Amino acid sequence: HAFAGYIRHASIACSYDVARMREIWGSHPMTDHNFSSLDVRFDHDGTDYTRVDKARIVSDWQNALNNLRVCPKVPETGLNCGNCEKCLRTMLSLLAFGKLHLTDVFGKKELVPNDLEGLKIMREDLVFEHRLIIDELKKIHRDDLIKRIEQKINDYYKRKPWYENSGLKGHLRKLDQRYFNGSVRRFANDLIDNFASGFK
């Protein structure tokens, strides 16, 4: 808004494609337009694309590959640490599309199973994303990486009860179950499902 004289329209990239829009972060199609004013319009953008779809688009754009930053950390050197889940997920996608060797932003141009130690899958949406990546890796016959990713997914399901009951979300879920028999969560899921069905 401070640059309203120069910018009339801004897009906020979606986290999820509309079919899986269950998790609500700070950005959502139901809310992003509320950032708009008479001078600047905000839109939620990209609900037709999964994260793997987005990686495919980026993989064909060399300027983006040269400057790509996905890492949530502050790396000691370079744009990305190359070891966290988000870096590894992006690297796996680029590798599957045959483009990882075209960028230096991760510090690696190839991946082997031992490189996936930092791959921590802790949510259902990440399981979905990694299953899409597995489908792409099958096309290039990287069974070694597929086996390691499947191990990480299995590890997630072993720990899932702990993940679901930890932190603020876990406490709220327990309170909802105890006092409202889970009706608050069902209401929220129905609301999200009804919203998503409006896009289909």
Side-chain angles (χ1 to χ4, degrees), residues 62-118:
Q62 188 60 48
N63 196 37
L65 288 177
N66 293 342
N67 298 282
L68 186 61
R69 176 168 164 79
V70 300
C71 191
K73 300 181 178 181
V74 180
E76 291 181 12
T77 58
L79 292 174
N80 303 280
C81 74
N83 297 306
C84 69
E85 188 280 330
K86 207 164 185 183
C87 283
L88 290 168
R89 182 181 357 126
T90 308
M91 292 164 72
L92 284 164
S93 294
L94 294 177
L95 177 74
F97 303 141
K99 302 294 177 73
L100 180 60
H101 69 283
L102 297 179
T103 181
D104 296 316
V105 297
F106 297 104
K108 296 174 187 167
K109 294 188 178 281
E110 177 56 75
L111 287 173
V112 295
N114 284 345
D115 292 326
L116 304 186
E117 269 317 300

Side-chain angles (χ1 to χ4, degrees), residues 135-150:
D135 290 341
E136 297 298 330
L137 289 171
K138 285 178 181 175
K139 296 173 185 175
I140 61 167
H141 310 291
R142 287 302 303 266
D143 296 341
D144 56 336
L145 294 176
I146 291 170
K147 183 178 178 183
R148 192 74 183 104
I149 296 168
E150 287 175 340

Side-chain angles (χ1 to χ4, degrees), residues 3-199:
F3 293 96
Y6 304 93
I7 299 171
R8 302 288 298 175
H9 177 224
S11 295
I12 300 175
C14 67
S15 295
Y16 302 109
D17 56 298
V18 72
R20 296 180 307 110
M21 213 167 278
R22 289 197 155 276
E23 295 282 340
I24 298 175
W25 303 97
S27 172
H28 193 272
M30 291 175 73
T31 60
D32 284 354
H33 64 276
N34 291 323
F35 294 119
S36 300
S37 69
L38 290 174
D39 298 315
V40 184
R41 188 178 90 243
F42 280 83
D43 290 318
H44 188 88
D45 185 55
T47 54
D48 293 336
Y49 301 101
T50 66
R51 288 172 173 166
V52 174
D53 292 333
K54 293 175 189 176
R56 189 191 310 274
I57 292 167
V58 168
S59 73
D60 289 328
W61 185 14
Q62 188 60 48
N63 196 37
L65 288 177
N66 293 342
N67 298 282
L68 186 61
R69 176 168 164 79
V70 300
C71 191
K73 300 181 178 181
V74 180
E76 291 181 12
T77 58
L79 292 174
N80 303 280
C81 74
N83 297 306
C84 69
E85 188 280 330
K86 207 164 185 183
C87 283
L88 290 168
R89 182 181 357 126
T90 308
M91 292 164 72
L92 284 164
S93 294
L94 294 177
L95 177 74
F97 303 141
K99 302 294 177 73
L100 180 60
H101 69 283
L102 297 179
T103 181
D104 296 316
V105 297
F106 297 104
K108 296 174 187 167
K109 294 188 178 281
E110 177 56 75
L111 287 173
V112 295
N114 284 345
D115 292 326
L116 304 186
E117 269 317 300
L119 187 61
K120 291 183 172 49
I121 298 174
M122 298 186 291
R123 301 189 314 265
E124 284 292 332
D125 64 296
L126 296 179
V127 172
F128 178 85
E129 296 292 342
H130 284 286
R131 290 202 189 284
L132 291 180
I133 292 169
I134 286 172
D135 290 341
E136 297 298 330
L137 289 171
K138 285 178 181 175
K139 296 173 185 175
I140 61 167
H141 310 291
R142 287 302 303 266
D143 296 341
D144 56 336
L145 294 176
I146 291 170
K147 183 178 178 183
R148 192 74 183 104
I149 296 168
E150 287 175 340
Q151 287 173 349
K152 294 288 186 172
I153 290 172
N154 290 336
D155 289 345
Y156 161 73
Y157 282 115
K158 288 177 189 173
R159 297 188 179 101
K160 186 179 178 184
W162 182 86
Y163 289 136
E164 288 186 342
N165 293 311
S166 65
L168 178 61
K169 275 188 178 179
H171 292 303
L172 291 174
R173 193 175 288 116
K174 288 179 202 170
L175 287 171
D176 176 33
Q177 194 61 47
R178 182 173 180 182
Y179 295 107
F180 302 103
N181 199 26
S183 61
V184 174
R185 188 176 188 187
R186 285 193 298 275
F187 173 77
N189 287 339
D190 288 345
L191 185 69
I192 293 166
D193 287 341
N194 289 336
F195 173 79
S197 66
F199 278 85

